[in-house]
Amino acid sequence: MANRRRPRSRLHAVMRWGLLALLILFVYWDNTALRTDSLTYTSTALPAEFDGLRIVQLSDLHNREFGEDNARLYQAVEQAAPDLIFLTGDLVDEYAEAPVPYARAVGEALSAIAPTYFVTGNHEWAHGNAVVEEIKTALREAGVTVLSNQCVPLERGGETIFIAGVDDPNGYADQRSPADLAAEIYQNGADPFWLLLAHRNDRFAGEYSLLGADLTLSGHGHGGIWRFPFVGGVFGTQRNLFPTHTAGFYSDNGASVFVSRGLGNSPRVIPRILNRPQVAVIALERG
């Protein structure tokens, strides 16, 4: 009887190790295989000249590399044929040893594809004010428009929309407030169509949704890190379970936000599960 059990025990051991190897391979693939998601935002307020405008949003890179020198990431962005590229914070990681060269390299590559806009996240500010200014300078020199509580016009065929961006709340204590930025956009009775880049997804419902932007684009939530069917994201950035506003479109106070699942993760020891790194392609459509 003992001799008969040994082959069966060996078979069970091989199966267990085989399943473990498959699980490890799946988790590796789930964290490194880029997913391009195409979405549409429709608004009757969108000027006709901007109907069909394509935006690629990248968020929460955290110094990740997808292919050598991020070649796979840049290829995915280029294939999406964007008119604009938005970097919505945490481009670099808090623990990165060389955040400035990384930011410069990413900025140069993306701005060569399409006009690129950047706002800070909490991880940029974790390096300290001096490094944040170095990162912003490197990005500007690379051709990226850095929005530090600022708005800029975008014109097409005689019509104009605005792109606004706010620094992360971890920024300067005396920085301009999002409300002040919105007031500038609406000065002199103007009511333009405008997009808001704001890193923190968890500030939309109580703050950013009240500013009047037609569409806010955020990150920070990492898709909930683990995503399960019928449940959504499992972990929030505030160490809360089953958070909301972690991936996709949401509405609060009559305003809309799109939250990117992001590309990297921090801390990296916790892998993404059923939550592949996202290149979000958002087409604006006139309703």
Side-chain angles (χ1 to χ4, degrees):
M1 292 294 292
N3 290 337
R4 290 180 182 176
R5 286 175 182 168
R6 283 176 187 167
R8 185 174 297 177
S9 297
R10 289 173 183 167
L11 177 61
H12 288 168
V14 169
M15 290 177 64
R16 286 196 295 270
W17 283 108
L19 288 172
L20 179 61
L22 287 174
L23 178 62
I24 292 171
L25 286 172
F26 172 76
V27 172
Y28 174 79
W29 173 84
D30 206 28
N31 282 260
T32 58
L34 291 168
R35 172 170 169 167
T36 299
D37 292 326
S38 297
L39 310 109
T40 301
Y41 173 74
T42 303
S43 172
T44 57
L46 181 70
E49 289 291 332
F50 292 91
D51 188 20
L53 185 81
R54 292 172 63 82
I55 298 166
V56 161
Q57 182 191 4
L58 306 176
S59 196
D60 301 275
L61 252 168
H62 289 280
N63 278 82
R64 283 288 303 275
E65 296 277 353
F66 293 92
E68 186 175 357
D69 296 326
N70 261 326
R72 287 195 292 113
L73 175 61
Y74 303 144
Q75 182 181 32
V77 174
E78 193 162 15
Q79 287 177 346
D83 297 298
L84 305 172
I85 299 170
F86 292 164
L87 292 168
T88 50
D90 285 1
L91 172 61
V92 302
D93 191 75
E94 175 181 358
Y95 302 105
E97 294 182 359
V100 178
Y102 179 86
R104 185 188 301 275
V106 173
E108 288 176 347
L110 294 179
S111 60
I113 298 172
T116 302
Y117 300 78
F118 167 82
V119 292
T120 56
N122 52 298
H123 275 252
E124 277 83 22
W125 291 99
H127 283 280
N129 296 351
V131 175
V132 168
E133 293 306 320
E134 289 183 43
I135 291 170
K136 289 181 178 181
T137 298
L139 287 169
R140 291 187 182 104
E141 291 174 350
V144 175
T145 299
V146 176
L147 296 172
S148 297
N149 306 304
Q150 298 166 295
C151 66
V152 293
L154 183 66
E155 298 181 0
R156 271 189 172 189
E159 294 185 306
T160 303
I161 65 174
F162 286 87
I163 303 170
V166 293
D167 265 326
D168 188 80
N170 278 1
Y172 301 114
D174 60 348
Q175 66 182 332
R176 190 182 190 195
S177 73
D180 290 339
L181 175 60
E184 177 188 335
I185 293 172
Y186 290 116
Q187 66 182 346
N188 301 322
D191 187 18
F193 182 96
W194 63 290
L195 304 170
L196 175 65
L197 281 58
H199 176 66
R200 303 252 188 167
N201 63 323
D202 51 2
R203 290 210 168 209
F204 179 74
E207 182 178 0
Y208 299 146
S209 64
L210 304 173
L211 300 178
D214 293 272
L215 176 64
T216 299
L217 298 102
S218 297
H220 190 58
H222 296 198
I225 306 177
W226 297 359
R227 294 191 67 79
F228 295 149
F230 311 109
V231 174
V234 177
F235 302 113
T237 54
Q238 305 300 322
R239 297 179 176 83
N240 54 317
L241 289 174
F242 309 115
T244 185
H245 293 59
T246 57
F249 286 103
Y250 300 87
S251 294
D252 292 283
N253 300 311
S256 297
V257 64
F258 177 79
V259 181
S260 167
R261 295 197 311 274
L263 291 151
N265 224 353
S266 183
R268 294 187 183 182
V269 295
I270 302 177
R272 303 164 72 102
I273 302 293
L274 299 178
N275 181 21
R276 285 167 58 190
Q278 182 183 46
V279 175
V281 186
I282 304 168
L284 302 186
E285 184 178 273
R286 182 175 170 85

